[in-house]
Amino acid sequence: MSVDMQQMLTAIQFFNLVREESKRVIVCEPHREHQVRAAIDQAGAADILTVRPSAACPEGKLIVIDESALEAGLREAAQQSPLFPWMRRST
């Protein structure tokens, strides 16, 4: 494989990683789901933004959630918790 081809593949892998890490969940009021989805589609961001309607969403607000960061934080908290000693990292 040529150096140019390898550089191009590396760049593609990098941008794919960035795209995957930029995925977010948008929580909205149930009656606004169609409007929010339409705006996301129009912006061309449907591949990185997922809409989840919830009655718990405050009126007139959108909540943006980074699920990957949330899960990582929960794993870290569980590893440090005395309630989950088997999840602690050995040192």
Side-chain angles (χ1 to χ4, degrees), residues 45-65:
D47 63 325
I48 61 170
L49 299 175
T50 301
V51 178
R52 290 200 186 134
S54 173
C57 185
E59 183 178 339
K61 302 288 183 185
L62 298 176
I63 300 171
V64 180
I65 300 172

Side-chain angles (χ1 to χ4, degrees), residues 2-72:
S2 72
V3 173
D4 288 342
M5 180 62 83
Q6 185 60 44
Q7 289 175 339
M8 184 171 49
L9 288 174
T10 300
I12 290 169
Q13 290 170 338
F14 172 76
F15 288 117
N16 192 43
L17 178 65
V18 169
R19 187 181 70 66
E20 285 298 315
E21 290 182 358
S22 65
K23 289 186 176 185
R24 300 291 185 268
V25 173
I26 308 295
V27 180
C28 66
E29 300 165 89
H31 71 275
R32 293 184 63 203
E33 178 181 7
H34 179 73
Q35 175 189 15
V36 173
R37 282 188 199 279
I40 288 170
D41 288 343
Q42 186 175 8
D47 63 325
I48 61 170
L49 299 175
T50 301
V51 178
R52 290 200 186 134
S54 173
C57 185
E59 183 178 339
K61 302 288 183 185
L62 298 176
I63 300 171
V64 180
I65 300 172
D66 180 345
E67 286 187 324
S68 297
L70 184 61
E71 289 171 2

